[in-house]
Amino acid sequence: MDDLDVALLLYLEDEQSSSEEENRSEESELFKNRCSEGAFQILVCRHLHCNDEKFRQYFRLTPVLFDYVLNNIRDELTSKPYNRHKKPICPEKKLCILVRHLATGESFRSLAFQYRVSHSSISVILREVVEAIIKRMFHVVLPTPKMGQFQKVAQQYSTKWNFPNCIGAIDGKHIRIKAPKNSGSLFYNYKDYHSMLMLAVVDADCTFTAVDVGSYGREGDAGIYLKSEIGRRIKNNTFNVPPPKALPGTDTVIPHVIVGDEAFALHQNLMKPYPRQQYAPANRNRFT
């Protein structure tokens, strides 16, 4: 490497460092005025708070529900001023950032420009708000199902769907994620993308009554069910399933069941459809 190459290299390094300093300076100016600029101060506070319909369209939830969640987690999200941050981000803005991210899937960079918060801080805020919601509201929003609750669900299934003695429907849902480092093919599912799997039981109105989240995307519904807390409780008869009951208008007594697809195994309290091979067109003549 001759003197010209060295000089050129030093020049490029100097240009890069000065460019980074300018970017940091611009960003600091951008974020410095977050209390008077940005989507929260201008859009949310000035316009959306007085328009319930526009608020719901922007955040995908009603102002009443937003305030309910905020009141439950406000103490967890309140930060005291310190040397580096004289004016900490308020709990309202933190919840707005999380809800907007969940509603639209916007990137951290996009949210950073909208709310005048650095993208690195947004990654911390999202985790902070989610942990606060889990800590303060999980057992309120999704309590352990009781036998009386299942009896009401069975009545709803009988009335709304003409399916007596049913206390829920169970299925799995793949949630698309960015594959963690060194995870190999653990999260790569049969749909050709990386995911985590959520197993859920819902009532007659499609409202969650029990969930299991966090299994690898490569796993199937049946395997996740067997190792999940939901599956273990159903198998051990500790899921508060009501006792067997006679079908309406008959003396036939049958157990209460959760209905699933053919991926699940039959159990006293888990019903599944007949295998497809038994009702495929090629086999219909066997039953005629």
Side-chain angles (χ1 to χ4, degrees), residues 27 35-36 65 72 85 93 101 129 140 166 172 198 228 237 251 271 275 278:
E27 288 182 354
C35 294
S36 59
L65 181 55
N72 277 276
H85 294 286
K93 181 180 287 189
H101 175 67
V129 179
V140 176
C166 179
M198 177 183 69
S228 68
N237 297 320
D251 296 328
M271 180 180 289
Q278 293 189 15

Side-chain angles (χ1 to χ4, degrees), residues 275-285 287:
R276 295 186 184 184
Q277 294 82 356
Q278 293 189 15
Y279 57 85
N283 297 324
R284 285 180 180 172
N285 294 332
F287 304 99

Side-chain angles (χ1 to χ4, degrees), residues 127-184:
R127 181 181 293 274
E128 179 186 5
V129 179
V130 169
E131 290 177 350
I133 292 174
I134 294 174
K135 179 180 178 181
R136 290 296 185 92
M137 302 189 66
F138 182 81
H139 296 292
V140 176
V141 178
L142 200 65
T144 302
K146 304 296 183 182
M147 186 177 298
Q149 178 183 352
F150 279 138
Q151 290 172 340
K152 293 180 181 179
V153 172
Q155 182 62 40
Q156 291 174 348
Y157 268 103
S158 181
T159 303
K160 190 170 185 177
W161 300 107
N162 195 26
F163 193 159
N165 286 24
C166 179
I167 60 172
I170 188 171
D171 201 3
K173 169 66 177 178
H174 287 275
I175 303 170
R176 189 185 296 266
I177 64 169
K178 182 178 180 181
K181 293 182 179 179
N182 303 320
S183 62

Side-chain angles (χ1 to χ4, degrees), residues 49-211:
H49 269 309
C50 58
N51 190 323
D52 291 357
E53 181 60 25
K54 294 298 182 183
F55 188 98
R56 187 192 63 80
Q57 292 176 4
Y58 183 75
F59 286 118
R60 310 289 175 85
L61 81 170
T62 63
V64 174
L65 181 55
F66 182 92
D67 291 338
Y68 174 74
V69 175
L70 179 62
N71 291 333
N72 277 276
I73 64 175
R74 186 186 296 275
D75 294 340
E76 296 289 332
L77 302 182
T78 302
S79 303
K80 296 181 179 179
Y82 57 97
N83 293 336
R84 186 176 178 183
H85 294 286
K86 304 295 185 181
K87 297 180 179 180
I89 301 173
C90 63
E92 292 88 344
K93 181 180 287 189
K94 292 179 179 179
L95 183 57
C96 284
I97 293 173
L98 172 72
V99 175
R100 182 63 179 170
H101 175 67
L102 294 178
T104 64
E106 286 194 54
S107 67
F108 292 0
R109 294 281 184 181
S110 175
L111 293 170
F113 285 110
Q114 289 186 52
Y115 288 90
R116 300 296 195 268
V117 180
S118 66
H119 69 279
S120 58
S121 296
I122 285 179
S123 65
V124 177
I125 289 172
L126 296 184
R127 181 181 293 274
E128 179 186 5
V129 179
V130 169
E131 290 177 350
I133 292 174
I134 294 174
K135 179 180 178 181
R136 290 296 185 92
M137 302 189 66
F138 182 81
H139 296 292
V140 176
V141 178
L142 200 65
T144 302
K146 304 296 183 182
M147 186 177 298
Q149 178 183 352
F150 279 138
Q151 290 172 340
K152 293 180 181 179
V153 172
Q155 182 62 40
Q156 291 174 348
Y157 268 103
S158 181
T159 303
K160 190 170 185 177
W161 300 107
N162 195 26
F163 193 159
N165 286 24
C166 179
I167 60 172
I170 188 171
D171 201 3
K173 169 66 177 178
H174 287 275
I175 303 170
R176 189 185 296 266
I177 64 169
K178 182 178 180 181
K181 293 182 179 179
N182 303 320
S183 62
S185 61
L186 288 175
F187 295 93
Y188 196 74
N189 62 38
Y190 70 95
K191 299 182 179 180
D192 297 330
Y193 61 85
H194 294 90
S195 66
M196 296 179 69
L197 207 139
M198 177 183 69
L199 188 70
V201 179
V202 300
D203 63 15
D205 296 319
C206 297
T207 302
F208 289 160
T209 56
V211 297

